[in-house]
Amino acid sequence: MLIVQKFGGSSVADAQRVFNVARIVTETYDKGNDMVVVVSAQGDTTDDLIEKAREINPDASKREMDMLLSAGEQMSVALLAMAIEKLGRPVVSLLGWQAGFLTNSNYSAARIKNVNTERIRNELDKHRIVIVAGFQGINRHDDVTTLGRGGSDTSAVAIAATMRADLCQIYTDVEGVYTADPRKVQGARKLTEITYDEMLELATLGAQVLNNRSVDMAKKYNVELEVLSSLKQVPGTKVKEVAKLEDMLIKSVAKDTNVARVMLVGVPDEPGVAFRIFSLVAKAHINVDIILQSVGRDGTKDIAFTVSADKGEAALNALRPYLEQVGAKQYSYDDSVAKVSIVGAGMETHEGTAALMFEALADANVNIQMIATSEIKVSVLIAREDADRAVAAVHKRFFEN
Ligand code: ASP
Ligand code: MG
């Protein structure tokens, strides 16, 4: 079998953990598998490098930032390869460009155009374990690029997709995907399986197990993923097209505190207003999530929307001239909010799921500010101070009886 394994930063944080990973890799290799192993930078290395850059030049170009940040993964691939050498197995480490990762030139958030896996194939033919630096590639100008924070998951899935690997295992410091954050919610359970769509929603809604772009790519190329712990040898969670019916209405409760709510009170109730507002926000490169518009009354209406926590101010700045021009009564943003969501393909075929969630919130005396739904999720915006209580109440309602 061809197996791709990916190890996150915490799994290779120090020498002992590097050896732990080397052992997992060599055990799989010894069973006769071809192995491509993708690693992230050790521990907080990427954050530390960003801090180093700030001390020198807070406005450093993205090109130079990518040059700097890619160093983190260069270190970890070499260290892991050395550990495997010490265990006496043939091994070679490769940087993104050596492994054939061609990306576009969008530094700091580059997209993979293709992976030319010829070099990897050659190394596998020589029966070497191939260690590949995650998160990085090269553009057509031969400059180093990075895929954005958490990008190593995507590197691993891209290799698995291109090489049609039999399995793509994402090793991390949690044992899999849970019904809620197991560090916060007592009674949170590990899921054995979850669908791509559910995982995609969860990754986007704040669960920090998998990078959402990697899930998107896995779905597109039908790469079966397994999320599992590098520290504890127990089965993890499989992410696939169709998960077995576990008779679960919802799969997980997620919390996202990286959110701010922008309120625009008393804008004109006439055609084109939402268009003007959201094109101004888009022009400022700000992503909008939940949008709520009130019913017009006396010629005006109110619009509220959410953005990531650090973008509230910027959204208002982008809108201020327009809001002043049309005489909006009031505008502000609030970043003391949080988004709590339930996700599950089961709600597509069951009515009343949202009502159950709202009932749990009402019983816990949590006020809902905004609501958004899709076929497989319900999200509510609430006060941030209520968030942990809300997650616990909703989890209890769906999983603990
Ligand atoms: N080292 C990079 C980061 O910390 C990439 C990754 O961990 O996936 O964002
Ligand atoms: Mg990292």
Side-chain angles (χ1 to χ4, degrees):
M1 289 215 291
L2 171 61
I3 298 181
V4 175
Q5 291 183 333
K6 180 259 167 179
F7 295 90
S10 58
S11 296
V12 290
D14 53 35
Q16 193 201 331
R17 293 211 175 166
V18 170
F19 268 110
N20 173 53
V21 167
R23 250 170 256 120
I24 295 173
V25 171
T26 50
E27 252 168 48
T28 320
Y29 173 81
D30 290 348
K31 288 179 187 147
N33 297 300
D34 285 336
M35 303 281 307
V36 182
V37 180
V38 174
V39 266
S40 300
Q42 292 184 287
D44 296 329
T45 304
T46 309
D47 291 325
D48 295 345
L49 289 171
I50 291 172
E51 195 43 49
K52 268 200 167 65
R54 275 208 191 108
E55 283 167 21
I56 306 249
N57 178 4
D59 303 316
S61 66
K62 289 181 172 174
R63 182 199 181 276
E64 298 310 330
M65 283 306 288
D66 280 4
M67 188 63 115
L68 179 68
L69 296 195
S70 63
E73 272 70 11
Q74 174 153 2
M75 287 169 62
S76 53
V77 286
L79 292 171
L80 178 57
M82 291 172 190
I84 292 174
E85 280 179 349
K86 190 148 185 188
L87 298 181
R89 311 299 194 287
V91 62
V92 61
S93 65
L94 299 175
L95 296 177
W97 68 269
Q98 293 173 303
F101 275 85
L102 181 70
T103 73
N104 67 12
S105 294
N106 191 12
Y107 297 107
S108 86
R111 296 244 157 201
I112 299 168
K113 287 184 147 176
N114 75 287
V115 190
N116 177 357
T117 55
E118 208 181 303
R119 173 75 186 271
I120 297 182
R121 292 250 179 239
N122 286 338
E123 301 293 351
L124 291 176
D125 286 345
K126 293 177 196 150
H127 301 291
R128 290 181 177 146
I129 297 170
V130 183
I131 315 289
V132 175
F135 175 60
Q136 53 175 258
I138 195 173
N139 64 15
R140 63 191 174 92
H141 310 295
D142 286 349
D143 282 338
V144 173
T145 55
T146 72
L147 308 179
R149 297 306 305 270
S152 299
D153 290 342
T154 310
S155 306
V157 174
I159 291 178
T162 313
M163 303 188 74
R164 298 183 200 288
D166 298 285
L167 191 58
C168 184
Q169 296 179 307
I170 309 284
Y171 283 90
T172 173
D173 52 3
V174 293
E175 281 174 42
V177 185
Y178 280 74
T179 53
D181 186 342
R183 287 162 299 193
K184 292 264 173 67
V185 179
Q186 274 189 1
R189 299 203 305 263
K190 187 167 58 184
L191 299 163
T192 53
E193 293 185 356
I194 188 168
T195 67
Y196 293 123
D197 288 332
E198 290 170 329
M199 192 61 235
L200 200 54
E201 289 281 10
L202 280 178
T204 313
L205 292 170
Q208 258 146 21
V209 247
L210 277 175
N211 175 276
N212 59 356
R213 261 169 73 192
S214 73
V215 183
D216 208 21
M217 188 183 288
K219 176 180 159 76
K220 201 153 143 207
Y221 296 99
N222 210 10
V223 175
E224 188 170 318
L225 298 177
E226 188 180 2
V227 179
L228 65 181
S229 164
S230 61
L231 303 171
K232 219 168 148 189
Q233 299 230 11
V234 289
T237 303
K238 292 220 159 105
V239 188
K240 54 210 284 196
E241 186 60 48
V242 186
K244 80 170 168 274
L245 279 175
E246 286 186 278
D247 201 25
M248 283 166 108
L249 189 52
I250 74 161
K251 290 281 172 58
S252 193
V253 187
K255 174 183 87 168
D256 186 0
T257 53
N258 179 20
V259 48
R261 182 180 62 141
V262 180
M263 273 291 291
L264 314 175
V265 179
V267 296
D269 184 23
E270 59 191 36
V273 169
F275 163 64
R276 284 295 299 276
I277 287 172
F278 291 105
S279 38
L280 286 168
V281 175
K283 235 189 245 153
H285 301 289
I286 298 169
N287 240 327
V288 172
D289 183 23
I290 308 177
I291 298 176
L292 198 72
Q293 179 178 300
S294 71
V295 177
R297 192 179 287 161
D298 303 328
T300 68
K301 63 189 172 191
D302 308 333
I303 290 180
F305 59 91
T306 64
V307 295
S308 64
D310 58 332
K311 290 283 158 49
E313 179 101 59
L316 277 191
N317 288 340
L319 289 170
R320 194 163 283 118
Y322 172 73
L323 294 171
E324 273 165 17
Q325 181 205 320
V326 300
K329 280 198 206 98
Q330 193 194 315
Y331 38 90
S332 59
Y333 78 94
D334 176 2
D335 57 10
S336 64
V337 293
K339 185 168 67 170
V340 170
S341 312
I342 54 172
V343 173
M347 69 177 84
E348 258 180 302
T349 48
H350 282 81
E351 56 290 323
T353 315
L356 280 179
M357 180 190 195
F358 302 154
E359 182 187 36
L361 293 170
D363 289 348
N365 203 22
V366 173
N367 186 42
I368 301 172
Q369 302 177 2
M370 297 169 98
I371 301 171
T373 64
S374 78
E375 281 107 345
I376 64 166
K377 75 141 200 236
V378 181
S379 296
V380 296
L381 195 79
I382 59 175
R384 188 169 299 176
E385 58 183 22
D386 290 341
D388 287 333
R389 214 155 44 83
V391 170
V394 172
H395 188 269
K396 191 162 184 197
R397 187 74 189 73
F398 285 97
F399 294 104
E400 293 168 44
N401 48 29

